C-alpha cells in the first residue's frame, strides 16, 4: 500500500468538517450542559461546604489585617460613606463572595481570586466567557481570547479600534465594536460578520438563552435599540426612539432594560415600551437573575448606590460625598462591588446590609510607584471560581460589569 | 464538563459524520455519546483517558446506525424510495466521500479510527472488541477499495 495515498487520505479526513458544524456543536452543548447540571447536586453540596469554610477563613484573615493606619482610613471613609464600612483592609487577599473578579485597570485586564491576582494582558475592555474558561479582551484593533492564565488562544484583527466585546451566553459568539461598526465572531474565531455600520458605543446585550437556542442581541443604533437574531440577521424588534442608551440589559421575563443619564426604561421582548422610571444614573449593571438593577446615582458631588427592583421599588444601599465608579454584582447576587477613586478604595456592599472596603486599589493593580495613566481600576465581571460551578449551581454563568 | 466537551466534541462529531454520512444523524450520535458518558461518569475510571472511552461509544453507535440505514435503504429501494444523497462536508473532495460510501460501516469505522483519530490497530481492536487480525483485515480491504476508487 502506498504511504503517499495514506497521507492524502489522512489529510482529507482531517480537513473535512460536517455541514453546519458550529450550529451542531452549539445545540449539543445546550443538551450536554443541561444533562450535566441535572446530575450535579451532590457535587455542588460538597462545594458549598468548602466555600463556607473558605469564606469564614477569609473573614478572619480580613479582620486580622486591620492596622492602626487602616483604622484611620476607615474613620475617614466613615465620614464620606454612609453607612460607614464595617472594616477596611489593605489587600485583596480574599473576595467577600465566591468566584473570580475580572478587572480592567490602566490599560490592562486582571483576574482576582482568593489568594492572588494575575494580569491577562493589555486590554482596554474585557468580558468573561460564560463558563469562565476564557476572557475576550479589546487591544487596539485586536480582539483577543485568552484563558485565565493569560495564554492567548486566538486573535482577531479588526478594521478599526475594538471596544465593548461581549460573549454570548452559550459561548459560541462574541459581539464587539470595530470603530463604529458592530460585528459578531464565532467563539472560535472561525467566522465573523457585520451586524450594523453605525452602532452607538453602548455595550451590546445578549439575550439569555431560551429553547430552542438562538442568538439574539440588543444593540443601540442612534436613539433606538435594535433586537436582532445575529445568525439570520432578522430584526426581531426595536425600541421607540429616545435618548441614546448608555447601558442595555436583559431582565427576567425577556424584558429589555435601557438606562440613560436621566431614566431607566423597561421594554418588552420586542422593544415596546412598558415603563419609564425617572432616575439619574452614571452606571448600571443587572443582577444575576434579572430582577434587580444596581445603579450609581449622582447628585452634585454626591453619589449613591441604588438597587432598582424591576417590578417597582428602589432602595439606596449607600451614599457618599465622592464619585462612585464601576459596578459588578457577585455571582450569587449578594454583593455589589463599586469603586471610590477619591479614597483609592473598592467598596464591597452587601445587599442585605454591611459594607467592606479595600484600600490601595491603584497600587494593587499598578504594582509600582508611578501614577496610573488610565482610569480607576474597574470591576468588569464576576465569575465562578471553577467553571463547573456554573452548571452545578444552575444559576447564570458570570455576572457582567458596568459599561466602561 | 465544558473543557471535556470543547476538547472532544469536534473529533467525535467528525468521526460520526464520516461513518454515517448524514449530518443530522452524526449530530445525534455524537450528542448521545456525550449523554451516555455523563450517565456513566461516576463509573468512569479517571486514570484512563476520556477520548477512547467516548470514541468507542460514538463509533459503535455510528456503525449501528449505518447498518440500520442500509437495511432501511434496501427496503426503501424495494418499494421505490430513493435514499437521500449524503451531506457534503466543507473542504472535502467528492471522490473521497463517494469512495468512503462504498465501504461497509465496519470498514469505514476502521479507517476513521486509524486515519482520523489515529489509533493503532491494537487500540482499535480493543475499542471495537474484535480481534486485531479482524481490524487489520478491515483496514487492508478498506484501503484497497479506496485506492481503487480514488486512483482509478
Amino acid at each position: 500500500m502506498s504511504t503517499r495515498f495514506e497521507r492524502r487520505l489522512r489529510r482529507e479526513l482531517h480537513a473535512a468538517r460536517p455541514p453546519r458544524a458550529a450550529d451542531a456543536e452549539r445545540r449539543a452543548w445546550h443538551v450536554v450542559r443541561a444533562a450535566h447540571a441535572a446530575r450535579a447536586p451532590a457535587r455542588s453540596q460538597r462545594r458549598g461546604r468548602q466555600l463556607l469554610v473558605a469564606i469564614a477563613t477569609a473573614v478572619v484573615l480580613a479582620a486580622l489585617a486591620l492596622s492602626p493606619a487602616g483604622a484611620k482610613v476607615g474613620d475617614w471613609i466613615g465620614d464620606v460613606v454612609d453607612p460607614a464600612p464595617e472594616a477596611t483592609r489593605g489587600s485583596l487577599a480574599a473576595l467577600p463572595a465566591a468566584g473570580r473578579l475580572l478587572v480592567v485597570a490602566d490599560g490592562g485586564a486582571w483576574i482576582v481570586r482568593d489568594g492572588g491576582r494575575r494580569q491577562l494582558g493589555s486590554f482596554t475592555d474585557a468580558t468573561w466567557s460564560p463558563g469562565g474558561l476564557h476572557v475576550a479582551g479589546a487591544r487596539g484593533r485586536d480582539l483577543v481570547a485568552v484563558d485565565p492564565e493569560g495564554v492567548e488562544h486566538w486573535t482577531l484583527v479588526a478594521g478599526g479600534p475594538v471596544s465593548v466585546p461581549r460573549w454570548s451566553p452559550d459561548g459560541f459568539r462574541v459581539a464587539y465594536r470595530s470603530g463604529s461598526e458592530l460585528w459578531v465572531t464565532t467563539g472560535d474565531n472561525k467566522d465573523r460578520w457585520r451586524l450594523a455600520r453605525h452602532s452607538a458605543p453602548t455595550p451590546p446585550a445578549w439575550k439569555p438563552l431560551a429553547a430552542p437556542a438562538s442568538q439574539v442581541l440588543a444593540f443601540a443604533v442612534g436613539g433606538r435599540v435594535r433586537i436582532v437574531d445575529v445568525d439570520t440577521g432578522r430584526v426581531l424588534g426595536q425600541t421607540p426612539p429616545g435618548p441614546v442608551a448608555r447601558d442595555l440589559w436583559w431582565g427576567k421575563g425577556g424584558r429589555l432594560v435601557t438606562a440613560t443619564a436621566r431614566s431607566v426604561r423597561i421594554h418588552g421582548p420586542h422593544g415596546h415600551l412598558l415603563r419609564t422610571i425617572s432616575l439619574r444614573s452614571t452606571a448600571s449593571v443587572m443582577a444575576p437573575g434579572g430582577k434587580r438593577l444596581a445603579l450609581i446615582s449622582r447628585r452634585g458631588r454626591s453619589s449613591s448606590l441604588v438597587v432598582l427592583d424591576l417590578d417597582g421599588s428602589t432602595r439606596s444601599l449607600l451614599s457618599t460625598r465622592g464619585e462612585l465608579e464601576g459596578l459588578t454584582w457577585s455571582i450569587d447576587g449578594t454583593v455589589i462591588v463599586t469603586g471610590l477613586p477619591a479614597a483609592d478604595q473598592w467598596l464591597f456592599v452587601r445587599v442585605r446590609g454591611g459594607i467592606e472596603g479595600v484600600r490601595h486599589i491603584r497600587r494593587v493593580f499598578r504594582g509600582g510607584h508611578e501614577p496610573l495613566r488610565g482610569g480607576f481600576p474597574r470591576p468588569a465581571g464576576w465569575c465562578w471560581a471553577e467553571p463547573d460551578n456554573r452548571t452545578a449551581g444552575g444559576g447564570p454563568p458570570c455576572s457582567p460589569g458596568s459599561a466602561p | 464538563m465544558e473543557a471535556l466537551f470543547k476538547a472532544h466534541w469536534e473529533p467525535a462529531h467528525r468521526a460520526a459524520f464520516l461513518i454515517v454520512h448524514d449530518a443530522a444523524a452524526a449530530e445525534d450520535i455524537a450528542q448521545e455519546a456525550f449523554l451516555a458518558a455523563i450517565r456513566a461518569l461516576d463509573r468512569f475510571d479517571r486514570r484512563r483517558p476520556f477520548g477512547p472511552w467516548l470514541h468507542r461509544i460514538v463509533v459503535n453507535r455510528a456503525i449501528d446506525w449505518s447498518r440500520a440505514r442500509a437495511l432501511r435503504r434496501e427496503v426503501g429501494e424495494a418499494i421505490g424510495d430513493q435514499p437521500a444523497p449524503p451531506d457534503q462536508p466543507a473542504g472535502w473532495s467528492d471522490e473521497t466521500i463517494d469512495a468512503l460510501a462504498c465501504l461497509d460501516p465496519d470498514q469505514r469505522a476502521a479507517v476513521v479510527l486509524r486515519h482520523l483519530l489515529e489509533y493503532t490497530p491494537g487500540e482499535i481492536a480493543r475499542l471495537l472488541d474484535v480481534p486485531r487480525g479482524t481490524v487489520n483485515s478491515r483496514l487492508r480491504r478498506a484501503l484497497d477499495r479506496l485506492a481503487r476508487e480514488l486512483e482509478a
Side-chain angles (χ1 to χ4, degrees):
Chain A
M1 178 56 55
S2 163
T3 57
R4 193 173 69 177
F5 171 78
E6 289 185 32
R7 285 198 295 273
R8 175 196 163 185
L9 178 64
R10 202 167 294 218
R11 269 200 311 274
E12 296 215 356
L13 291 175
H14 281 276
R17 293 190 75 205
R20 302 172 297 281
D23 290 334
E25 182 175 354
R26 179 163 49 94
R27 284 189 293 267
W29 172 240
H30 290 307
V31 173
V32 168
R33 181 179 62 179
H36 187 251
R39 69 170 283 279
R43 292 171 67 227
S44 71
Q45 283 171 11
R46 283 199 300 276
R47 283 218 169 101
R49 285 193 288 272
Q50 290 168 0
L51 193 56
L52 283 173
V53 170
I55 289 176
T57 306
V59 167
V60 169
L61 287 174
L64 290 174
L66 274 178
S67 67
K72 283 184 186 171
V73 174
D75 289 343
W76 180 77
I77 287 294
D79 288 342
V80 301
V81 177
D82 178 33
E86 296 158 351
T88 52
R89 49 193 171 95
S91 74
L92 271 173
L95 295 173
R100 298 168 291 166
L101 197 56
L102 177 64
V103 179
V104 177
D106 195 23
W110 300 73
I111 288 179
V112 176
R113 62 186 305 164
D114 287 353
R117 65 189 185 280
R118 177 180 291 274
Q119 186 167 22
L120 299 180
S122 302
F123 302 128
T124 50
D125 195 8
T127 179
W128 282 111
S129 72
L133 282 177
H134 298 99
V135 169
R139 183 178 66 201
R141 289 174 182 248
D142 293 344
L143 175 67
V144 186
V146 299
D147 65 24
E149 301 302 312
V151 176
E152 292 192 10
H153 282 237
W154 53 257
T155 300
L156 177 157
V157 181
V162 172
S163 61
V164 297
R166 292 295 181 267
W167 223 301
S168 65
D170 63 2
F172 288 103
R173 302 283 184 269
V174 183
Y176 62 96
R177 286 182 87 234
S178 168
S180 64
E181 297 180 338
L182 186 69
W183 285 73
V184 173
T185 181
T186 53
D188 55 6
N189 190 28
K190 295 249 169 86
D191 195 10
R192 57 175 147 161
W193 55 99
R194 183 174 54 210
L195 274 191
R197 284 187 185 274
H198 303 291
S199 67
T202 313
W206 291 97
K207 191 171 184 181
L209 292 173
S214 59
Q215 305 280 17
V216 176
L217 186 71
F219 56 92
V221 178
R224 289 181 185 260
V225 175
R226 207 176 283 174
I227 302 162
V228 172
D229 180 325
V230 303
D231 290 338
T232 64
R234 195 160 71 97
V235 177
L236 304 175
Q238 64 178 358
T239 63
V244 176
R246 183 195 63 235
D247 305 316
L248 299 175
W249 307 105
W250 286 96
K252 194 171 174 66
R255 292 175 289 185
L256 176 66
V257 179
T258 64
T260 66
R262 293 172 180 253
S263 67
V264 173
R265 296 186 175 191
I266 300 174
H267 308 263
H270 299 290
H272 55 284
L273 181 63
L274 298 175
R275 279 173 66 200
T276 301
I277 302 164
S278 290
L279 182 58
R280 290 176 182 266
S281 67
T282 57
S284 70
V285 66
M286 184 65 72
K291 293 184 184 177
R292 298 171 295 177
L293 190 70
L295 302 110
I296 294 174
S297 177
R298 194 174 289 173
R299 190 176 290 274
R301 292 186 180 180
S302 297
S303 297
S304 298
L305 176 60
V306 171
V307 173
L308 168 69
D309 187 328
L310 294 190
D311 291 325
S313 61
T314 306
R315 185 160 65 104
S316 175
L317 297 184
L318 72 86
S319 60
T320 170
R321 278 185 270 147
E323 292 180 1
L324 295 172
E325 280 186 21
L327 287 171
T328 294
W329 287 84
S330 62
I331 42 182
D332 60 3
T334 61
V335 175
I336 301 168
V337 57
T338 184
L340 185 60
D344 192 17
Q345 283 209 11
W346 275 354
L347 301 175
F348 289 88
V349 183
R350 295 189 184 281
V351 176
R352 294 195 176 180
I355 301 172
E356 186 180 349
V358 178
R359 307 188 301 274
H360 307 312
I361 291 297
R362 286 193 177 90
R363 190 171 70 194
V364 167
F365 292 103
R366 187 62 185 88
H369 300 290
E370 297 172 22
L372 281 180
R373 291 188 300 275
F376 191 65
R378 170 175 64 84
W382 204 316
C383 202
W384 295 99
E386 300 296 335
D388 277 352
N389 278 339
R390 175 173 68 90
T391 54
C398 298
S399 181
S402 55
Chain B
M1 176 47 64
E2 184 175 354
L4 276 177
F5 181 87
K6 287 195 184 302
H8 292 284
W9 166 262
E10 191 181 351
H13 184 215
R14 189 180 303 186
F17 177 76
L18 290 171
I19 297 172
V20 303
H21 290 168
D22 183 296
E27 181 180 339
D28 288 347
I29 287 167
Q31 192 180 106
E32 182 52 36
F34 270 91
L35 294 178
I38 288 172
R39 286 192 291 270
L41 214 52
D42 289 336
R43 300 192 302 276
F44 179 64
D45 182 355
R46 290 170 194 253
R47 292 167 297 182
R48 296 167 55 199
F50 181 77
W53 187 52
L54 183 74
H55 297 152
R56 178 180 190 160
I57 301 173
V58 169
V59 170
N60 283 327
R61 285 170 194 257
I63 292 172
D64 291 344
W65 189 91
S66 297
R67 285 176 183 156
R69 180 171 73 169
L71 182 62
R72 286 195 299 274
R73 182 175 298 152
E74 288 172 4
V75 173
E77 285 174 347
I79 60 173
D81 288 341
Q82 294 301 314
D87 289 302
Q88 298 296 324
W92 185 260
S93 69
D94 289 345
E95 295 89 5
T96 311
I97 194 171
D98 288 345
L100 263 182
C102 293
L103 304 178
D104 69 36
D106 293 312
Q107 291 173 347
R108 282 204 294 271
V111 168
V112 166
L113 285 167
R114 180 79 183 99
H115 295 289
L116 173 70
L117 299 176
E118 300 184 5
Y119 288 105
T120 64
E123 290 167 340
I124 296 172
R126 284 193 292 278
L127 273 174
L128 298 181
D129 203 20
V130 297
R132 181 175 174 154
T134 303
V135 172
N136 286 334
S137 170
R138 288 177 186 172
L139 280 172
R140 191 166 50 246
R141 287 182 188 153
L143 294 183
D144 284 346
R145 181 75 186 268
L146 287 174
R148 279 200 304 277
E149 298 290 331
L150 293 173
E151 293 185 338

